[in-house]
Every structure is written in C-alpha cells, then in structure tokens.
Amino acid sequence: MVEARAAAANSAETMLTSFTDSDEFRAHVAGKIIHDYLMANYYNDCLDIEVDVSERILDQMFDRIRQEWSMLGDTEPYWSVITSDKFRANKIKEHMEAFLTSGRSNVKWMKNIAKRNGIDLGKQQTCFELGCGVGRLTLPLSEVFHHVTGYDISPGNLAECDALVKAQGKRNITTKLLARIEDLKSAPEFDVLFTVIVLQHNPPPVQKYILDILLTKIRPNGIAYFQLPTFIPDYKFTARTYLRTKPQSMEMHAVPMRDVLELLREHGFQVLEVLQDPFTGMPGSHSFFAVKTAEVTMEATPPPDRGIWRRLSGR
C-alpha cells in the first residue's frame, strides 16, 4: 500500500496528502485527535470569529466557495461528499452501494432524534435539503417526505443528482442550482430543513446568512435539523484576512454556538437537542434539532419555552 501510494504521487506534497487523507491514517490517529480536541474546548474563553459582513463582502465569499465546489463537482463529485479514497471517480462504481447506504444511515439519525422527542416525520411534510450534492441523502429523504426540494452550488454535483433521481424513477424530488446566495430568498416554504456536511465548508458570515433565510422558510411546527462546527481549535476568522488568502480546497469553518442558538431563538424555535456528531472527523461539530413553535414578527420575541411546545404538540 505504501509503495503504491508513493509510486502514484507526482510530488512530495501529493504523496503526503495521499497518506494523511487515507482511511488508514485517520483510523490510527482518531483516538488522540478526539482527546486533544475535546480538551481544547475547556482552554479557550472566547472565539474570535466575525459572523456579520456587508452584502458585497458576502457575495465575494459565496462566489469563492461556488467556484471551488464547481471544480470539485466536475472532477470528484462523490469524493467531495465523503472524502474516502473508495469514493474517488475511478473507484465509485464498485463502491456506489456503500456510498448510498451511508446516506440512509444519516437520515435515520434524524428520524431517531425526532422519535425520541415525540415528533413524527412523514409523508404529509415537505423537506428542503441544502447541499443535495449527488443525491446521497436526497433519495432516502424522498422516502420519508411527500416532496424534497434540493439546492446545490455545484453544477457537476447537481447533474449527478438529477441522473440518479431519474434512474430511480423518483417523482417527488425537485432540484435547483444555487447560483447566487440571494436565490435562497425565492425558495419555497417547507416543513423540514435538512442539511449536513454543507454549511461547514462556508465562511461563518455565509453560514449565518443562509440559516437566517432558511429558518424563515420553515412553517409553524416545522423542524430544523442542521449540522455545523461551533468550535475549531486555534480557528479565527475575519473577512478581510480571508479574502486576501489563496482559496483552499475543502475549507472548514465554524460559527460560535451562541450565534446559532441566538438565530434559532430569534426565529421562534425551541431547541430540543444539540449533539456532537462525527461529520468533521473531530469534536466541535454539532447537529441541531429544533421545532418552530411561534410565528416571528420584526419585533423582538422572547425565548419560547417548553410550555409552548407542549401546547402545540398536545404533549
């Protein structure tokens, strides 16, 4: 295996990246990474992360991410969703079933969280999937919900998704290319928001802006289920510094949890669970599960309490 990787590399940098991206390396160092990153949560008393910028700066950030994912969608659409060697373009055919099975598992996780909170997810609801990619999650979501609307930033990924949807004969899935961040404003209302392994690849202001729009689209009593990192050791972010740096592949960004919780509160959501998850391969990534318990006006709204949730749900 070592000799094969070395022979396939065309530079020392390529060879090193091949080793550190391999499944074997990740499994070997996973235990130490988990311990070190968990402890890092206790050693930091503030997060220097800028989350609010002008619309002009927001557009520049979004365009940078759009170009990056357009390239990945054209070259490695499946690997860009799950960065395992077996999902590379030259291997995906023999591992397609494993790829799709992983999507069914992710959707089941959401259903389990809903069930233990007394919430039924089903065919009477519509779902909005941000970052539908190649359809890994879109297909199993379509088996749960009446209709799924999937938005993605990558034309290449979206083409793969559309082909898969057509091959499976699915008629309750609609996809749309997210060419501009403002396109989210014209998205339809829906009952359930679902997005994992998507927001994390966007700068903090973009993540916050996207959530701010999508949370308004969720109907009363609807569900928000989304994942993003809230902490990355030694991570800092300012728009000025970010836009001056060279674009990187697979950027990873965090939004402080206080900003996420404040956004949910402002939009009238009752947070039912916040769980550490494995989606970044390190601690600090969280999945949020919240129910929209109230319509929100432009005026400040007090935090919803569990009494409101009980009355709405009959519990």
Side-chain angles (χ1 to χ4, degrees):
M1 178 65 73
V2 173
E3 291 80 2
R5 290 185 181 278
N10 55 21
S11 69
E13 181 180 359
T14 302
M15 182 173 67
L16 181 60
T17 301
S18 173
F19 283 124
T20 57
D21 282 350
S22 69
D23 295 338
E24 297 85 355
F25 178 85
R26 293 180 180 183
H28 180 70
V29 302
K32 186 177 188 307
I33 288 176
I34 289 174
H35 175 270
D36 292 349
Y37 276 68
L38 277 174
M39 293 307 298
N41 280 277
Y42 296 96
Y43 298 143
N44 292 270
D45 58 4
C46 66
L47 297 177
D48 186 10
I49 301 175
E50 184 179 12
V51 296
D52 296 303
V53 297
S54 68
E55 290 187 7
R56 179 178 63 83
I57 297 299
L58 199 69
D59 286 340
Q60 291 178 4
M61 291 179 179
F62 183 82
D63 190 58
R64 169 168 160 165
I65 298 301
R66 181 188 60 76
Q67 292 182 45
E68 174 189 336
W69 283 89
S70 293
M71 181 274 294
L72 286 169
D74 289 340
T75 56
E76 288 286 356
Y78 294 89
W79 178 85
S80 71
V81 176
I82 302 180
T83 53
S84 172
D85 285 347
K86 62 185 177 182
F87 300 136
R88 292 283 188 181
N90 61 343
K91 298 180 180 180
I92 186 61
K93 286 186 178 180
E94 59 187 295
H95 297 291
M96 179 62 81
E97 184 55 36
F99 182 86
L100 296 177
T101 297
S102 71
R104 290 192 285 271
S105 298
N106 292 167
V107 173
K108 185 177 181 180
W109 295 350
M110 176 186 65
K111 292 175 65 179
N112 288 344
I113 298 172
K115 187 174 182 179
R116 65 175 174 249
N117 281 282
I119 298 172
D120 292 324
L121 300 177
K123 289 294 185 180
Q124 72 276 20
Q125 296 166 315
T126 58
C127 177
F128 183 94
E129 182 190 7
L130 176 70
C132 59
V134 297
R136 181 182 74 101
L137 296 161
T138 317
L139 290 179
L141 285 171
S142 72
E143 297 171 1
V144 176
F145 298 107
H146 173 68
H147 190 271
V148 178
T149 299
Y151 274 44
D152 200 88
I153 198 173
S154 167
N157 279 5
L158 206 59
E160 294 288 333
C161 180
D162 289 341
L164 186 60
V165 168
K166 183 177 181 180
Q168 296 285 331
K170 293 290 185 179
R171 298 183 179 276
N172 64 331
I173 296 173
T174 302
T175 62
K176 181 177 175 60
L177 179 66
L178 185 60
R180 301 180 309 136
I181 196 168
E182 291 82 5
D183 292 345
L184 288 172
K185 294 180 180 179
S186 60
E189 290 188 342
F190 48 86
D191 299 303
V192 177
L193 168 64
F194 182 99
T195 182
V196 297
I197 325 179
V198 176
L199 290 169
Q200 64 189 33
H201 296 303
N202 293 271
V206 175
Q207 293 190 48
K208 182 179 178 181
Y209 181 88
I210 288 173
L211 276 178
D212 195 24
I213 292 178
L214 293 182
L215 292 176
T216 67
K217 299 287 184 176
I218 301 177
R219 298 187 182 102
N221 299 323
I223 298 297
Y225 176 70
F226 60 91
Q227 169 270 335
L228 52 78
T230 62
F231 175 82
I232 299 174
D234 301 321
Y235 174 81
K236 298 179 180 180
F237 182 89
T238 63
R240 175 177 293 185
T241 300
Y242 173 74
L243 292 174
R244 287 178 175 176
T245 61
K246 183 180 179 180
Q248 301 177 8
S249 180
M250 290 285 186
E251 296 181 9
M252 185 74 70
H253 299 280
V255 176
M257 187 177 291
R258 69 178 184 214
D259 291 285
V260 180
L261 296 177
E262 178 65 14
L263 221 85
L264 287 164
R265 185 195 70 77
E266 290 176 353
H267 287 286
F269 281 83
Q270 174 71 51
V271 178
L272 299 183
E273 294 197 22
V274 180
L275 302 169
Q276 288 246 18
D277 59 56
F279 291 121
T280 64
M282 60 184 179
S285 176
H286 289 90
S287 292
F288 294 78
F289 188 92
V291 61
K292 195 169 193 175
T293 59
E295 287 283 11
V296 179
T297 65
M298 294 302 291
E299 298 178 0
T301 303
D305 57 31
R306 290 198 65 84
I308 295 175
W309 166 235
R310 292 192 197 99
R311 290 194 293 275
L312 286 172
S313 64
R315 295 175 66 187

